[in-house]
Amino acid sequence: NNAAEQTIRMPKLRIKVSGSMRTMTGAEHFAAIRSYTATAIRQGNNMLDALIQAVTGNPWIPATT
C-alpha cells in the first residue's frame, strides 16, 4: 500500500465502525490530529512522544528543507 492509502485507512475504518463522524468539528479535529501524528511517524518520531509534547505545550515541528 502506498502512503496515501495508509493515511486514509484509519478514518475510513472509524467511519465503518461507528457509522459516521458525529460532527464536522469532530471530524476536523480527528483529521488534524491524524495528520500531525502521521507526519511525525514519517519523520521517524514516536507518535506517543509527539502527542505528549503537543499537549504539554512543546509541539514537534517538522524541519523545513
Side-chain angles (χ1 to χ4, degrees):
N1 294 329
N2 66 29
E5 290 173 345
Q6 291 173 358
T7 301
I8 65 168
R9 185 177 298 136
M10 183 63 183
K12 186 64 176 170
L13 178 64
R14 182 176 173 153
I15 290 170
K16 283 182 179 180
V17 171
S18 67
S20 67
M21 299 282 182
R22 293 192 181 264
T23 65
M24 181 58 84
T25 303
E28 289 171 349
H29 290 168
F30 177 82
I33 293 167
R34 181 71 180 158
S35 175
Y36 181 79
T37 58
T39 302
I41 291 169
R42 277 195 301 271
Q43 296 291 322
N45 296 307
N46 182 291
M47 178 177 60
L48 184 57
D49 290 340
L51 288 173
I52 290 170
Q53 288 176 353
V55 171
T56 58
N58 185 25
W60 168 79
I61 300 171
T64 58
T65 55

